[in-house]
Amino acid sequence: MKKIKYFLLILILVLQFCKDQTENSDPKNFSFIKGKNIHLRELPDQKSKSLGFLQGGNKVEIILEPNNKTKIGNLIGKWIKVKILSGKLVDNEGYVFSQFILEKGSDPINLIYKEIEIVKRKEYLQKLKSDFPEYNEFGLYTLDELINYEILVNDCKIERLETSIGFEDKETLIKSFQELKFNFNNSIFEKMTQCEFFWADYCGGTDILPYPYSSYSNKEQIKLVISSLIIDSGDKENCYQTTDNKKYCFHISKYNEKFLIGGLCQMHNNQK
């Protein structure tokens, strides 16, 4: 009986520890600095001693956020107490004016996908780069890579605003695509694709890597795939066997009432 009580006591302590750890790591308590050379103040006052400069992208933990607001020049905000989690001032604690901190729980990556008028979007994206120069959270892509991708897509969309890209029906698109096998041309293929062109290792997988066709680093690989297609093997999904016994699908999407190729993937042997 004593052993059972002892075990239950240990279990309660472990569960409490896990609970504390979870509470302490609540993502809602974290944020990021925005801008360049932002003062970390010793006290919540503009005239307080500066502990050094923070840079956009430095991660912080929110320790204390008051309700009262104050005005500095044309800016209205709060003095938020933070602990620095990355950058040159890591482990320091101090105060940062709220205008230079993202909303709690937010991330610079989220800002990339904010809806902005297409003609103003490039300028907005370029400013994001300058606002978060030291953002270094780990991911499949860096912040700069994602922004560069979005700029390429945006430039493509602007270029197409005044051009008639795409096909009225799916069958015509497939027929034109099949002709590429015999006379491949980069510019013709680009006109058949959406600005967002997805390349996946296998169809239906979760490892889709997005690139606009114009930025894909190995255009020759796409040309080789198309050149190796066995046209007679094509199905209604625009999937084909190749001469080297592989299978590729070129997905067709509808964009602005026109049919375009949205990307390609290689089927695995266990996929039908």
Side-chain angles (χ1 to χ4, degrees), residues 23-58:
E23 289 177 351
N24 291 336
S25 60
D26 186 348
K28 293 180 181 178
N29 291 332
F30 298 114
S31 190
F32 295 88
I33 298 298
K34 177 177 69 173
K36 294 181 180 178
N37 298 326
I38 307 302
H39 285 285
L40 177 67
R41 299 287 183 184
E42 186 175 36
L43 298 171
D45 190 297
Q46 187 182 12
K47 296 180 180 179
S48 174
K49 176 184 175 182
S50 174
L51 302 177
F53 290 109
L54 297 167
Q55 304 300 332
N58 291 166

Side-chain angles (χ1 to χ4, degrees), residues 1-13:
M1 191 69 173
K2 287 184 178 179
K3 287 184 178 180
I4 294 175
K5 287 183 178 179
Y6 179 74
F7 173 78
L8 289 174
L9 177 60
I10 294 296
L11 181 60
I12 290 170
L13 290 173

